[in-house]
Amino acid sequence: MTDQEYFTVHHTMTANIEPLGKAFPLPSRELFEGEIPAPFIVASEFSQLDHLNENARLELKNSELKHVVQLLDNQNSKLNLLLTFMLSQQDDPKYRFQTTSFGASNLLTVHLNLSSLGPSRE
């Protein structure tokens, strides 16, 4: 089993993928980061904060503050719902694809190749 197989999830996921021309110049890191939509930056920040908050949650649970932990979990659920809604607004039907699998470094999609009218895998 290769590393890629180990980290591959065989599941359908909706992804917006905008094809670039063959001559498309790759942007600098700064320009690339400047093009990332705000909801995706927020999602990344949430993920980092969730990781940091886990230690605090464990301390609260050990201090018999279970109701406070439940309150914080409820607030986290509300924020996750809001974030999911925000990210869903980034959907563009003309770039929408369904994956057959995805992993840390790739997405496998199936779409209709209109030039040959046959299925195509990328």
Side-chain angles (χ1 to χ4, degrees):
M1 177 182 292
T2 67
D3 287 343
Q4 186 57 47
E5 289 176 278
Y6 181 75
F7 291 106
T8 298
V9 178
H10 297 281
H11 184 73
T12 300
M13 175 180 74
T14 301
N16 276 207
I17 303 168
E18 184 176 352
L20 303 175
K22 292 186 188 283
F24 184 83
L26 293 177
S28 67
R29 182 181 179 104
E30 294 80 23
L31 187 59
F32 174 76
E33 289 176 353
E35 292 289 323
I36 298 173
F40 290 91
I41 294 170
V42 171
S44 176
E45 293 290 327
F46 270 38
S47 177
Q48 291 174 10
L49 290 172
D50 281 345
H51 180 69
L52 294 173
N53 288 340
E54 190 58 35
N55 290 337
R57 288 182 76 249
L58 289 173
E59 277 186 39
L60 286 172
K61 277 188 173 180
N62 293 334
S63 302
E64 299 298 324
L65 296 173
K66 293 176 183 167
H67 294 292
V68 174
V69 171
Q70 183 63 44
L71 173 67
L72 293 174
D73 285 342
N74 290 342
Q75 293 301 320
N76 187 46
S77 294
K78 288 179 188 178
L79 289 172
N80 284 336
L81 285 171
L82 179 60
L83 183 59
T84 300
F85 172 74
M86 287 172 50
L87 291 174
S88 73
Q89 300 305 301
Q90 297 296 309
D91 184 35
D92 187 339
K94 74 179 165 190
Y95 299 125
R96 187 183 303 141
F97 290 87
Q98 295 293 317
T99 66
T100 57
S101 65
F102 58 93
S105 65
N106 71 6
L107 300 170
L108 180 62
T109 63
V110 175
H111 67 279
L112 183 63
N113 184 341
L114 296 178
S115 62
S116 65
L117 295 178
S120 172
R121 291 179 84 90
E122 291 184 8

Short mmCIF file of all heavy atoms in Angstrom, two decimals, residues 75-98:
data_model
loop_
_atom_site.label_atom_id
_atom_site.label_comp_id
_atom_site.label_asym_id
_atom_site.label_seq_id
_atom_site.Cartn_x
_atom_site.Cartn_y
_atom_site.Cartn_z
N GLN A 75 -22.06 26.10 21.83
CA GLN A 75 -21.65 27.29 21.09
C GLN A 75 -20.78 26.91 19.90
O GLN A 75 -20.90 27.48 18.81
CB GLN A 75 -20.89 28.26 22.02
CG GLN A 75 -21.73 28.87 23.10
CD GLN A 75 -22.92 29.65 22.55
OE1 GLN A 75 -22.81 30.35 21.55
NE2 GLN A 75 -24.07 29.50 23.19
N ASN A 76 -19.91 25.92 20.10
CA ASN A 76 -19.07 25.44 19.01
C ASN A 76 -19.93 24.87 17.88
O ASN A 76 -19.67 25.10 16.69
CB ASN A 76 -18.08 24.41 19.53
CG ASN A 76 -17.08 24.00 18.48
OD1 ASN A 76 -16.51 24.84 17.79
ND2 ASN A 76 -16.86 22.71 18.35
N SER A 77 -20.97 24.14 18.23
CA SER A 77 -21.88 23.57 17.22
C SER A 77 -22.56 24.67 16.43
O SER A 77 -22.70 24.57 15.19
CB SER A 77 -22.92 22.67 17.88
OG SER A 77 -22.32 21.54 18.44
N LYS A 78 -22.98 25.73 17.10
CA LYS A 78 -23.61 26.86 16.40
C LYS A 78 -22.64 27.50 15.41
O LYS A 78 -23.01 27.81 14.28
CB LYS A 78 -24.08 27.91 17.41
CG LYS A 78 -25.27 27.51 18.23
CD LYS A 78 -25.61 28.63 19.20
CE LYS A 78 -26.66 28.23 20.18
NZ LYS A 78 -26.93 29.31 21.14
N LEU A 79 -21.40 27.70 15.85
CA LEU A 79 -20.40 28.30 14.96
C LEU A 79 -20.10 27.40 13.77
O LEU A 79 -19.92 27.88 12.65
CB LEU A 79 -19.12 28.60 15.74
CG LEU A 79 -19.21 29.75 16.74
CD1 LEU A 79 -17.95 29.82 17.58
CD2 LEU A 79 -19.47 31.06 16.04
N ASN A 80 -20.06 26.10 14.00
CA ASN A 80 -19.82 25.16 12.89
C ASN A 80 -20.96 25.20 11.88
O ASN A 80 -20.72 25.13 10.67
CB ASN A 80 -19.62 23.75 13.41
CG ASN A 80 -18.24 23.55 14.01
OD1 ASN A 80 -17.31 24.27 13.68
ND2 ASN A 80 -18.13 22.59 14.90
N LEU A 81 -22.18 25.32 12.35
CA LEU A 81 -23.32 25.45 11.43
C LEU A 81 -23.22 26.72 10.60
O LEU A 81 -23.45 26.71 9.39
CB LEU A 81 -24.64 25.45 12.21
CG LEU A 81 -25.11 24.11 12.75
CD1 LEU A 81 -26.31 24.31 13.68
CD2 LEU A 81 -25.49 23.18 11.61
N LEU A 82 -22.87 27.82 11.24
CA LEU A 82 -22.71 29.08 10.54
C LEU A 82 -21.59 29.00 9.52
O LEU A 82 -21.73 29.44 8.37
CB LEU A 82 -22.44 30.21 11.54
CG LEU A 82 -22.24 31.60 10.95
CD1 LEU A 82 -23.47 32.05 10.19
CD2 LEU A 82 -21.90 32.58 12.06
N LEU A 83 -20.48 28.40 9.89
CA LEU A 83 -19.36 28.26 8.98
C LEU A 83 -19.71 27.37 7.79
O LEU A 83 -19.37 27.67 6.65
CB LEU A 83 -18.15 27.69 9.72
CG LEU A 83 -16.87 27.55 8.92
CD1 LEU A 83 -16.42 28.90 8.37
CD2 LEU A 83 -15.78 26.94 9.78
N THR A 84 -20.42 26.29 8.04
CA THR A 84 -20.87 25.41 6.95
C THR A 84 -21.74 26.18 5.96
O THR A 84 -21.59 26.05 4.75
CB THR A 84 -21.63 24.20 7.52
OG1 THR A 84 -20.75 23.48 8.39
CG2 THR A 84 -22.14 23.29 6.43
N PHE A 85 -22.63 27.00 6.49
CA PHE A 85 -23.48 27.82 5.62
C PHE A 85 -22.64 28.79 4.80
O PHE A 85 -22.82 28.93 3.59
CB PHE A 85 -24.51 28.59 6.44
CG PHE A 85 -25.28 29.59 5.63
CD1 PHE A 85 -26.26 29.16 4.75
CD2 PHE A 85 -25.01 30.94 5.73
CE1 PHE A 85 -26.96 30.07 3.97
CE2 PHE A 85 -25.71 31.86 4.97
CZ PHE A 85 -26.68 31.43 4.08
N MET A 86 -21.68 29.46 5.45
CA MET A 86 -20.82 30.41 4.74
C MET A 86 -20.05 29.73 3.62
O MET A 86 -19.96 30.25 2.51
CB MET A 86 -19.84 31.08 5.72
CG MET A 86 -20.47 32.08 6.65
SD MET A 86 -19.33 32.66 7.93
CE MET A 86 -17.89 33.12 7.01
N LEU A 87 -19.50 28.55 3.89
CA LEU A 87 -18.74 27.84 2.87
C LEU A 87 -19.64 27.36 1.73
O LEU A 87 -19.22 27.33 0.57
CB LEU A 87 -17.98 26.67 3.48
CG LEU A 87 -16.83 27.05 4.40
CD1 LEU A 87 -16.25 25.80 5.05
CD2 LEU A 87 -15.75 27.82 3.66
N SER A 88 -20.88 27.01 2.05
CA SER A 88 -21.79 26.55 1.00
C SER A 88 -22.11 27.67 0.02
O SER A 88 -22.46 27.42 -1.14
CB SER A 88 -23.08 25.98 1.60
OG SER A 88 -23.90 27.01 2.12
N GLN A 89 -21.97 28.91 0.44
CA GLN A 89 -22.24 30.05 -0.43
C GLN A 89 -21.13 30.24 -1.47
O GLN A 89 -21.29 31.00 -2.41
CB GLN A 89 -22.40 31.33 0.40
CG GLN A 89 -23.54 31.27 1.40
CD GLN A 89 -24.87 30.93 0.74
OE1 GLN A 89 -25.33 31.64 -0.13
NE2 GLN A 89 -25.46 29.83 1.15
N GLN A 90 -20.01 29.55 -1.31
CA GLN A 90 -18.89 29.64 -2.26
C GLN A 90 -19.09 28.72 -3.46
O GLN A 90 -18.24 28.62 -4.32
CB GLN A 90 -17.58 29.30 -1.55
CG GLN A 90 -17.21 30.25 -0.44
CD GLN A 90 -16.96 31.65 -0.95
OE1 GLN A 90 -16.20 31.86 -1.88
NE2 GLN A 90 -17.63 32.63 -0.36
N ASP A 91 -20.21 28.02 -3.52
CA ASP A 91 -20.48 27.05 -4.57
C ASP A 91 -20.82 27.75 -5.89
O ASP A 91 -21.59 28.70 -5.92
CB ASP A 91 -21.64 26.15 -4.14
CG ASP A 91 -21.94 25.06 -5.12
OD1 ASP A 91 -20.98 24.54 -5.74
OD2 ASP A 91 -23.11 24.71 -5.28
N ASP A 92 -20.22 27.28 -6.98
CA ASP A 92 -20.52 27.79 -8.32
C ASP A 92 -20.85 26.59 -9.21
O ASP A 92 -19.98 25.76 -9.49
CB ASP A 92 -19.31 28.54 -8.88
CG ASP A 92 -19.62 29.23 -10.20
OD1 ASP A 92 -20.59 28.83 -10.89
OD2 ASP A 92 -18.88 30.16 -10.55
N PRO A 93 -22.12 26.45 -9.64
CA PRO A 93 -22.53 25.26 -10.41
C PRO A 93 -21.67 24.96 -11.64
O PRO A 93 -21.49 23.81 -11.99
CB PRO A 93 -23.96 25.57 -10.81
CG PRO A 93 -24.44 26.56 -9.79
CD PRO A 93 -23.23 27.37 -9.42
N LYS A 94 -21.12 25.98 -12.31
CA LYS A 94 -20.36 25.69 -13.53
C LYS A 94 -19.00 25.06 -13.22
O LYS A 94 -18.38 24.48 -14.11
CB LYS A 94 -20.21 26.93 -14.41
CG LYS A 94 -19.25 27.97 -13.95
CD LYS A 94 -19.22 29.11 -14.95
CE LYS A 94 -18.53 30.30 -14.29
NZ LYS A 94 -18.64 31.49 -15.05
N TYR A 95 -18.54 25.13 -11.96
CA TYR A 95 -17.28 24.50 -11.58
C TYR A 95 -17.49 23.35 -10.59
O TYR A 95 -16.56 22.85 -9.99
CB TYR A 95 -16.34 25.53 -10.94
CG TYR A 95 -15.98 26.67 -11.87
CD1 TYR A 95 -16.19 27.98 -11.49
CD2 TYR A 95 -15.45 26.42 -13.13
CE1 TYR A 95 -15.86 29.02 -12.34
CE2 TYR A 95 -15.14 27.46 -13.99
CZ TYR A 95 -15.34 28.76 -13.58
OH TYR A 95 -15.02 29.79 -14.44
N ARG A 96 -18.73 22.91 -10.43
CA ARG A 96 -19.05 21.88 -9.44
C ARG A 96 -18.73 20.49 -9.99
O ARG A 96 -19.15 20.13 -11.07
CB ARG A 96 -20.52 21.96 -9.06
CG ARG A 96 -20.89 21.02 -7.92
CD ARG A 96 -22.37 21.05 -7.61
NE ARG A 96 -22.80 22.41 -7.29
CZ ARG A 96 -23.97 22.92 -7.69
NH1 ARG A 96 -24.80 22.21 -8.42
NH2 ARG A 96 -24.29 24.15 -7.35
N PHE A 97 -17.98 19.73 -9.22
CA PHE A 97 -17.63 18.35 -9.54
C PHE A 97 -17.91 17.48 -8.34
O PHE A 97 -17.96 17.96 -7.20
CB PHE A 97 -16.14 18.22 -9.90
CG PHE A 97 -15.77 18.85 -11.21
CD1 PHE A 97 -15.43 20.20 -11.27
CD2 PHE A 97 -15.77 18.11 -12.37
CE1 PHE A 97 -15.09 20.79 -12.48
CE2 PHE A 97 -15.43 18.69 -13.58
CZ PHE A 97 -15.09 20.02 -13.63
N GLN A 98 -18.08 16.19 -8.57
CA GLN A 98 -18.23 15.20 -7.50
C GLN A 98 -16.97 14.35 -7.48
O GLN A 98 -16.55 13.85 -8.52
CB GLN A 98 -19.45 14.31 -7.74
CG GLN A 98 -20.77 15.03 -7.69
CD GLN A 98 -21.09 15.55 -6.30
OE1 GLN A 98 -20.89 14.85 -5.31
NE2 GLN A 98 -21.57 16.76 -6.22
#
